[in-house]
Every structure is written in structure tokens, then in C-alpha cells.
Amino acid sequence: MFYNRKLFSSATNLYKLTRVYSFVSPPPFVKKLTFLASESRFPTSPRLCNGSNHVGMRCYCHGNGGSREWTEEIEYLDESGGVIYKGKGVRSVEPGVDDHVMVGEVKKPFVNALAVAKIVEVVKRWKWGPELETQLDKLQFVPNMIHIAQALKVVGDVDACLSLFRWGKRQSWYVPSDECYVLLFDGLNQKRDFEGIQMLFDEMVGDSNDGVSLSAACNRVIRYLAKAEKLEVSFCCFKKILDAGCKVDTETYNSLITLFLSKGLPYKAFEMYESMEKAGCSLDGSTYELMIPSLAKSGRLDAAFKLFQEMKVRGFRPGLNLFASLVDSMGKAGRLDSAMKVYMEMRGYGYKAPPTIYISLIESYVKSGKLETALRLWDEMRMAGFRPNFGLYTLIIESHAKSGKLDIAMSTFLDMEKAGFLPTPSTYACLLEMHAASGQIDPSMKLYNSMTNAGLRPGLSTYTVLLSLLANKKLLDVAAKILLEMKAMGYSVDVTASDVLMVYIKEGSVDLALRWLRFMGSSGIRTNNFIIRQLFESCMKSGLYESAKPLLETYVNSAAKVDLILYTSILAHLVRCQEEKNERHLMSILSATKHKAHSFMCGLFTGPEHRGQPVLSFVREFFQGIDYELEDGAAKYFVNVLLNYLVLMGQINRARCVWKVAYENKLFPKAIVFDQHIAWSLDVRNLSVGAALIAVVHTLHRFRKRMLYYGIVPRRIKLVTGATLKIVIAQMLSSVESPFEVSKVVLRASGDSVMEWFKKPIVQQFLLNDIPSRADILMHRLNILFPSSAPEVRSLSPPKPLIASRAM
């Protein structure tokens, strides 16, 4: 192998040159020379040395000694000895310091593309770690941030990019680069490494404190974190870049607003919008499109409408979704005029209303009761070619049905069936109940049959209202059929059947009530004791005593207790009875009550040998067993009816005993008033006829005893009778020539005149022994004034005191 002169010294420098351009495919001769230079032992040459430097040491072209030009021609030979190149030698450079190479006397700068390619090659080969940094330190050129940024775009691997970037940060030529940070944040975001983004962001904040603007990278970080729904982190970064003086752009504000809205924080989003305005950041259409619907949905309609007007003033065209949101929110808030105004404005912009807007407006107008406007929008929607959905059909039908517009409701109902929708049980129930409430039996039954034929199960309310309608129409057989179908559906029918029974009772249809009760018994349906009692009293009032007794026996056998009021009402019927046959029925009914008052009545009419005690003691014993706190009203009622019965039976002495004991037990505490020597009075307005007669006789006897025996004479004596009993009392006293004068509601007499009257023998006999029992006195207006089983008497609560005044 032949070598030309100067070959060995030149080969060493050529080897160095090939290291610089190792990323370019060298020509074959360079490869050969590189091999020769690396394999050979070169002698020391003074031309390659600077002072005492060894041949292996580089000569720096930038040193203080200045550059040494090479003037000799250098021939480059191939292996066969042929000249392949001839020219001046290449000067050496210091790696990482010089930004050029010397080709003879000419400085050749490094090409950026080649420099970037070399950096990329090193980074892709070594990835990360100390070896990568060692190789980067050996680069034969001085990189800059442009090289780093371009290399970051090519490398792709985010870990390798971070290693390269952090190596660059430690170099003296490093300058913070917004572009580099943006590239790194993009890579970390693609990798979904949000912790890495936060760490790099903290580093970047430190760089931005040096007065370098990194706004693009800062905004990019916040947008990435916001899209990843990192609420607290993104807001913290937002605060940091504001403190650092970076400018936040509109897109970043939009991303934060979207994040707050998606997290259900509309008020925080609005605060962000206010910060956006204070920062002087211009709003764009997307910001309006985000804020206005959110404010509207959160109930801040005034703020939303203000932004809506501002958006139009600034020349932005509102989107269809924005219009839809405003219409929906204002409609739901009851601002129907504003909602309609926005709807018409949307039409003015050329938008075609979507079905959602129609549905929202119709629902709003229906809920506010403006059915005419809702129906107009309904027709407009159908003319626009939109098909109403199931919910809208249901809403229109039920709203019109509940408002009484049954024709429109039924028409829409038929359209709904033609459209292929199967109405829900609630829709059927609404229509059926409204028709039933209006008394339309035929449409109600058609709807019921249509509902059952469609395989739908009517609800409990549907059955109840239908059965009530049939009961009111007295269609007992149809009601029985519906009730059995209801029972077959699995419903409990006891309460519903009892309600139907009560309808017949309240209407006075006792025969139908008895038929319905027999149907209930045959079908195994039970009712409650209250309704049995109501039906019993209705039978008593109608004179159906034979039907009443089984009802009473059922009532007693079911562990129900007959109270004093019920017993007294039966006794009142006995007092009024004028037929012997009915009297026997009533006596058997009284016996069936098993009440202690019946035992008292039986003992009262027996002799002392059977009772074992005088009448007065017997009566006192019975009245001592009454709980006056609970049965005070019932006891008054019983005394009034009993005194009527005793007077009519001619048992005056027994009647006077009953009155005396009743007065002793303070059943009528205000009946007798002694006002010293001024006035004595007796008030019988709250008593029955028989009780009033007994009270007058017994009280006048007490007055006579006081006046004659004790010599006490009042100025006047009055009997307060009221308009009802005035005639009866006056007629009784006129038979014995009483001095009492009749006024409107009172019988009056002076004390002296009454004193003289008391001295007459006929008066003494009258007061001690007997009272007249002529039919024209005792039976006066009997059929009108005597106690009967009136509704207020039949109530389970104690009767009012004035009930007794309706007695005989």
C-alpha cells in the first residue's frame, strides 16, 4: 500500500474532520484515511504542534496565538497511490466552542439541518441518562435553542425530549423558550402524564420570573389540565400565571369556564367570566355560547339575557342551541312573554325551530294553564312536519282533560292511538276520571273497556271513581261486575265496596244499600262497623225495623259497643211509634243492644219488690255509673227522651225522680237561678216537651216551698221557654189559673201574685200529684219537635246541647 507525503500528518486532521461530519455518509477515501489514521502510529511533527503539545492534543484555532494558516498543498491518495484530492489542509476546531470549521483559510459554518440531525441521532441512540449527556457534551459544534426546539419536534419520545431539554437548561447558551415548553407539554399531554405537566409547569414558572414571556406554554398547560377535568390543579395554575404576569387568552378562559360548568359550578364560571372582563380579554362567540345557556339553566336569567343582548351588539350571531336554551329556561321559569320573544327572534334569524323548542314552549304554556297558546304551538309544530312524541301527547290530553275540555282531550287521544302510541294507564285514568266526574257514564265505560282490552291494568283510583259514578247512577249490577274485576286484579276491595255502600246510604237509597250489602256478604267482602251503624240508623229512619235488627245484631256481635246515643235514638223511635207491630220490633231492637240503659228501663217500670230499692235510689244508682266527662251530651239527650217517654206513659212520679237526679248531677246547671229577693227563673229552652213540663212542675213546687215555709218572696218569677215550648207551658199553667203572662219567649209573674196563687188548694194538688195529660197539650206538635234519628243526633260525637231543644 502506497502513501503520499504529508499523508500521516494530514490523516490525523482528516480523522478529526470525519468525526465532525460523521452523520454524513463520507466518501470511500475518507473512510480509508480514517482507518489508516486510527491504526497508524504517527511520528511527532512540528507542524502539528503548538509549543510542547503532543501530537494527540488538538490545536485551537480560536486561541490567543492566532490562527496558523497552512500553505502547503496536501495530496490525498487512494490505496493504489492515485491522487483523489489535492488542496490546502483543514484547520482544527474545539468541539462545543467553535461554531464553524476551517477549510483552508475559509470558515465554514455548521448547517442547522445537519446540527439538528446530529442532535436527534445522539438523543435517539442514547435516550436518557449520563451517557446521553456525555455524548451531547462531545458535539463538535455549539448548539442553540433553535436546534433544541427543532430536535424536540423530531425526537417524539417525551422522556428523551425532557432529557435533552434539561441538558440544554444547564448550558451557558440556554435561553427560556416558549416553543420548547409548548412541545414538551404537548408530548406530556399525549402521554396523559399530568403529574409531569405539573412538574414542568413549576420549572417554567421559575423561568418566567426571569422576565421571559411564556404565555403560550402557560395557556397550553391550563387548557390541557382543564380538559382533563383537573379542577383544583388547573385553577391553581391559573392563579400562578396571573401572579407571574402572563396573559391568559380567550381559549384558556373558555376551557376553565367549561370545566366549572361541567363540575356544576355555574357561579364560579361566572366569576371567571368577570375576571376575563377585568383582564381586558376579549370575548368570542364560543364564550357567549358557553356562558349564556349555563347562566340560564342555573336560574340567573337576567344575567343570561344581558349577555345575550351584549352578544348581539358585538356582532356575534347566536347559535340555535343558545336560543333553545334561553327559550327552555325562561319557559320553565314562567317568563312566557320573554320566552316567546326569544322564539320569534330566533325565527327572525332564519332558524327553523327544532322539536325541542316546540316541546319546551308547549310544556311551559300547559303548566301555566294557557292551553289555547299551547294548542296553537301544537298545531304549528305538526304543520312544520314534526311528529309529537309520546310525552307531549300525554301532556296535551291530560291537561285538557283536567281543565274540563274533554272534546279536545278525546280528539287528541284518538290521534295518539292513530299515531301508534299506546296510552299509559295514567292517561286512561285521567280521561276516565274526568268523564266520570262530569257524570258521563257511556264515555267512561268505553274508556274502561278500551283500557282493559289493551291489556292495561287500571289503577285503584280509576276503579274508585268509576264505581262511585256507577253508584251515583244507581247501576248496582254494573258496579258489582266492575268490583269483581277489581278483586280479580288483586286489589283489596273492602274499602272501595264500603265507599259504594256509603254512597247509597247518604242518598237515602236504603233498599239499594241493603242489596249491595248482601252482594258484599255473598262475595266475601267485609265492611266496617261504622258503615253498619250508618245503615242501621238509615233503616230505623225509614221504618225498616225488620231489616234493622239483623244489622244491629251484626254490629253487636262484631264486638262493637252500643253507646248511649244509639240506644236513646232507638228509644226515641219507640216514643214516636204509633203501631203495635212496630212497637214489638222496636222493643226487640232495644233488647238486642245489650246496653245497661235497657236494664235500667226495665227496672224502672217494675215494682219496688223486684228492684229491691225505691225509685229515686234506683235512678241515682244508674246515673252515678255515667262518665259525665265523656257522655255529658249523651246523658242530656237520654234524659230528654226518657222524660218524654215517661210523661207519655203517665209515669209522672218516676219522671220527677229522673229530673231531680239529673239536676243533682248538674246535667242542666243553669236551668234554675235564685237571684236572692230580686228574681227567680227557670230556663227550659234546651229541654224536650216532657222534660220541660216535669221541670216546670218540679221547680214551681220548690219555689212554693221556699215562699210559704221560709217567707222569701222575690220581686218576680219568670219561666224562660223559648218560642217552641211557650204554648205548651202556657196551656198547662192556664188550666190551673196561673198568674204568668205570656211574652215572646218568657212567662212572667210578680212574686206576690205567684205567692197568692201558690196558696190555692188546686195548685198544691197540681204541683204535688199530677200534671194534665191531655193529648192537645202533651202531644203538641209531636211529629215536628220530638227527638228523632236526625243526622246530627246519629253522629258518634256527643251531640250539641241544643239538640235537646228539638225534642217534643
Side-chain angles (χ1 to χ4, degrees):
M1 183 177 294
F2 299 95
Y3 301 98
N4 205 339
R5 59 184 179 276
K6 307 293 184 182
L7 176 61
F8 295 107
S9 61
S10 300
T12 303
N13 288 321
L14 185 60
Y15 169 69
K16 297 175 182 178
L17 179 64
T18 56
R19 285 190 61 196
V20 176
Y21 293 98
S22 62
F23 49 84
V24 182
S25 178
F29 78 92
V30 175
K31 293 181 181 180
K32 292 296 183 180
L33 290 177
T34 302
F35 170 77
L36 290 175
S38 61
E39 293 295 329
S40 303
R41 299 288 183 178
F42 298 107
T44 302
S45 175
R47 291 184 176 87
L48 297 178
C49 298
N50 186 6
S52 61
N53 290 339
H54 190 267
V55 67
M57 299 298 293
R58 304 259 180 111
C59 294
Y60 297 169
C61 66
H62 71 288
N64 295 330
S67 61
R68 294 189 178 187
E69 298 182 2
W70 288 2
T71 57
E72 294 186 43
E73 293 281 336
I74 298 178
E75 296 177 354
Y76 298 93
L77 307 177
D78 58 13
E79 294 181 358
S80 61
V83 178
I84 58 176
Y85 178 78
K86 184 177 180 181
K88 292 186 177 182
V90 179
R91 296 289 301 276
S92 176
V93 296
E94 182 180 0
V97 176
D98 291 321
D99 59 352
H100 61 275
V101 294
M102 296 295 297
V103 180
E105 296 178 352
V106 180
K107 292 183 178 180
K108 294 289 184 179
F110 291 110
V111 180
N112 284 339
L114 297 178
V116 171
K118 181 59 180 179
I119 294 173
V120 171
E121 178 186 359
V122 172
V123 172
K124 283 189 174 182
R125 179 178 180 182
W126 301 103
K127 300 294 182 183
W128 59 275
E131 189 62 31
L132 172 63
E133 296 181 1
T134 302
Q135 296 299 324
L136 290 173
D137 289 338
K138 292 180 180 180
L139 290 174
Q140 300 296 318
F141 57 91
V142 180
N144 55 42
M145 293 309 296
I146 296 177
H147 296 157
I148 299 299
Q150 296 299 320
L152 292 176
K153 294 179 182 179
V154 178
V155 171
D157 186 354
V158 65
D159 293 330
C161 290
L162 285 171
S163 298
L164 173 61
F165 178 75
R166 290 196 169 101
W167 171 82
K169 286 189 70 175
R170 292 192 295 271
Q171 309 305 314
S172 59
W173 41 262
Y174 171 76
V175 177
S177 171
D178 203 5
E179 183 181 8
C180 290
Y181 277 113
V182 168
L183 292 171
L184 291 172
F185 286 130
D186 289 343
L188 290 170
N189 180 63
Q190 291 177 359
K191 193 179 178 182
R192 313 297 291 174
D193 185 5
F194 298 108
E195 293 184 0
I197 290 178
Q198 296 177 46
M199 294 175 61
L200 187 61
F201 174 79
D202 293 336
E203 296 180 18
M204 180 182 67
V205 171
D207 285 346
S208 64
N209 293 332
D210 297 335
V212 181
S213 176
L214 301 174
S215 297
C218 291
N219 284 279
R220 192 72 61 94
V221 170
I222 296 174
R223 289 199 292 272
Y224 285 151
L225 292 174
K227 290 179 181 178
E229 298 185 352
K230 305 290 185 181
L231 178 63
E232 296 180 358
V233 178
S234 60
F235 189 69
C236 180
C237 293
F238 170 74
K239 289 295 186 182
K240 286 184 178 180
I241 66 172
L242 286 181
D243 296 339
C246 294
K247 184 179 180 181
V248 183
D249 57 23
T250 302
E251 186 179 356
T252 302
Y253 274 115
N254 280 330
S255 63
L256 285 172
I257 291 172
T258 304
L259 176 61
F260 284 122
L261 295 175
S262 64
K263 295 294 185 179
L265 299 170
Y267 295 97
K268 198 67 181 178
F270 192 67
E271 289 179 8
M272 186 64 61
Y273 160 71
E274 292 175 345
S275 300
M276 188 177 183
E277 281 190 325
K278 292 178 181 178
C281 188
S282 61
L283 298 175
D284 57 9
S286 60
T287 307
Y288 285 114
E289 295 285 346
L290 287 171
M291 284 298 300
I292 294 174
S294 300
L295 288 172
K297 290 178 182 178
S298 65
R300 303 182 67 174
L301 294 177
D302 294 333
F305 198 71
K306 178 183 176 182
L307 278 182
F308 177 66
Q309 298 297 335
E310 179 183 316
M311 178 183 186
K312 293 185 294 181
V313 170
R314 293 190 58 189
F316 292 108
R317 178 183 173 87
L320 182 59
N321 291 333
L322 191 151
F323 278 113
S325 177
L326 277 178
V327 170
D328 180 65
S329 298
M330 289 185 173
K332 290 179 178 178
R335 300 186 181 184
L336 299 180
D337 295 337
S338 299
M340 183 58 70
K341 180 181 177 181
V342 174
Y343 167 72
M344 299 305 296
E345 192 172 349
M346 180 197 71
R347 299 286 296 271
Y349 272 91
Y351 290 116
K352 181 180 179 181
T356 54
I357 290 185
Y358 281 117
I359 292 172
S360 176
L361 283 173
I362 291 172
E363 289 180 351
S364 300
Y365 277 101
V366 166
K367 291 177 180 178
S368 64
K370 298 182 179 181
L371 299 182
E372 294 180 359
T373 307
L375 200 60
R376 179 176 61 81
L377 289 168
W378 167 272
D379 295 335
E380 182 180 327
M381 176 183 179
R382 299 184 70 178
M383 290 177 63
F386 296 118
R387 181 190 181 194
N389 59 20
F390 175 80
L392 204 57
Y393 268 117
T394 302
L395 182 66
I396 291 293
I397 293 171
E398 295 185 3
S399 61
H400 283 81
K402 292 177 181 178
S403 63
K405 299 180 179 180
L406 297 178
D407 294 338
I408 298 175
M410 283 302 297
S411 175
T412 309
F413 177 78
L414 295 176
D415 291 342
M416 181 180 184
E417 289 185 323
K418 291 178 182 178
F421 293 114
L422 177 64
T424 61
S426 63
T427 305
Y428 273 111
C430 180
L431 283 172
L432 195 154
E433 290 172 13
M434 292 301 106
H435 280 89
S438 62
Q440 301 182 30
I441 185 66
D442 291 337
S444 299
M445 289 304 299
K446 287 181 181 179
L447 285 167
Y448 172 76
N449 292 328
S450 174
M451 185 178 186
T452 54
N453 292 336
L456 298 177
R457 184 173 184 255
L460 181 61
S461 61
T462 304
Y463 276 117
T464 301
V465 72
L466 183 59
L467 286 169
S468 298
L469 174 64
L470 294 172
N472 290 323
K473 296 295 182 180
K474 296 181 173 58
L475 298 174
L476 189 144
D477 295 335
V478 180
K481 175 179 174 293
I482 298 297
L483 187 69
L484 292 177
E485 292 179 1
M486 178 182 176
K487 185 178 180 181
M489 285 288 184
Y491 289 107
S492 176
V493 297
D494 292 347
V495 176
T496 307
S498 298
D499 291 341
V500 174
L501 182 57
M502 279 300 298
V503 171
Y504 291 133
I505 294 173
K506 290 179 180 179
E507 290 183 351
S509 304
V510 181
D511 293 336
L512 291 176
L514 291 171
R515 284 181 57 194
W516 184 259
L517 185 63
R518 286 193 293 269
F519 159 72
M520 290 174 61
S522 62
S523 302
I525 303 172
R526 302 179 60 184
T527 187
N528 56 61
N529 289 328
F530 176 81
I531 296 180
I532 293 293
R533 175 168 175 166
Q534 298 297 310
L535 183 55
F536 165 76
E537 294 179 356
S538 297
C539 290
M540 294 292 293
K541 186 178 180 180
S542 302
L544 302 175
Y545 302 127
E546 294 182 4
S547 300
K549 184 177 180 181
L551 292 173
L552 182 62
E553 291 174 346
T554 302
Y555 182 77
V556 174
N557 293 333
S558 61
K561 183 180 179 181
V562 176
D563 55 19
L564 188 57
I565 291 178
L566 182 59
Y567 181 85
T568 306
S569 67
I570 301 172
L571 180 62
H573 284 285
L574 178 62
V575 173
R576 294 173 56 86
C577 183
Q578 298 179 2
E579 298 181 5
E580 184 179 352
K581 179 182 176 181
N582 290 335
E583 285 183 357
R584 287 196 298 267
H585 285 303
L586 288 169
M587 290 301 295
S588 64
I589 292 174
L590 285 172
S591 178
T593 60
K594 299 180 181 179
H595 194 275
K596 62 181 181 179
H598 187 65
S599 301
F600 167 72
M601 289 287 293
C602 295
L604 191 62
F605 283 92
T606 60
E609 63 277 4
H610 292 89
R611 288 194 305 268
Q613 56 183 334
V615 175
L616 186 60
S617 300
F618 181 71
V619 173
R620 281 175 176 162
E621 182 180 347
F622 172 74
F623 277 92
Q624 286 175 359
I626 296 176
D627 187 352
Y628 292 100
E629 291 184 0
L630 300 177
E631 298 182 301
D632 182 72
K636 291 178 181 179
Y637 180 37
F638 177 69
V639 168
N640 278 287
V641 175
L642 177 59
L643 290 176
N644 274 338
Y645 181 67
L646 292 175
V647 169
L648 290 175
M649 294 295 291
Q651 303 294 321
I652 305 304
N653 290 330
R654 289 177 171 83
R656 294 179 73 162
C657 290
V658 171
W659 169 256
K660 183 176 182 179
V661 173
Y663 186 76
E664 288 175 355
N665 286 279
K666 298 182 180 180
L667 285 177
F668 307 100
K670 297 181 181 180
I672 303 174
V673 176
F674 293 99
D675 191 2
Q676 298 299 329
H677 299 283
I678 299 174
W680 295 350
S681 65
L682 170 65
D683 189 347
V684 296
R685 286 176 296 180
N686 294 333
L687 302 180
S688 64
V689 174
L693 295 176
I694 294 296
V696 168
V697 174
H698 187 78
T699 304
L700 289 177
H701 175 67
R702 291 185 62 188
F703 289 172
R704 179 178 180 274
K705 188 176 180 179
R706 279 191 172 220
M707 294 170 69
L708 294 179
Y709 294 161
Y710 300 107
I712 302 174
V713 180
R715 293 180 185 177
R716 61 183 178 273
I717 295 176
K718 59 181 181 180
L719 304 176
V720 184
T721 61
T724 304
L725 298 173
K726 177 179 63 176
I727 298 175
V728 178
I729 303 299
Q731 288 181 352
M732 179 187 71
L733 295 178
S734 64
S735 64
V736 289
E737 302 176 353
S738 71
F740 289 95
E741 298 176 355
V742 181
S743 63
K744 291 184 179 180
V745 294
V746 178
L747 300 179
R748 290 189 179 90
S750 64
D752 295 334
S753 62
V754 173
M755 181 69 174
E756 295 298 325
W757 182 63
F758 281 156
K759 293 178 181 180
K760 295 180 180 180
I762 188 175
V763 175
Q764 181 180 4
Q765 183 181 2
F766 165 68
L767 296 178
L768 291 177
N769 298 324
D770 203 353
I771 60 174
S773 58
R774 290 165 44 194
D776 58 344
I777 297 177
L778 296 180
M779 303 301 291
H780 178 71
R781 301 180 67 188
L782 177 64
N783 294 328
I784 299 175
L785 302 175
F786 206 79
S788 62
S789 55
E792 59 270 18
V793 176
R794 290 188 286 111
S795 64
L796 292 179
S797 60
K800 299 179 181 179
L802 290 178
I803 290 178
S805 67
R806 303 181 60 175
M808 179 192 260

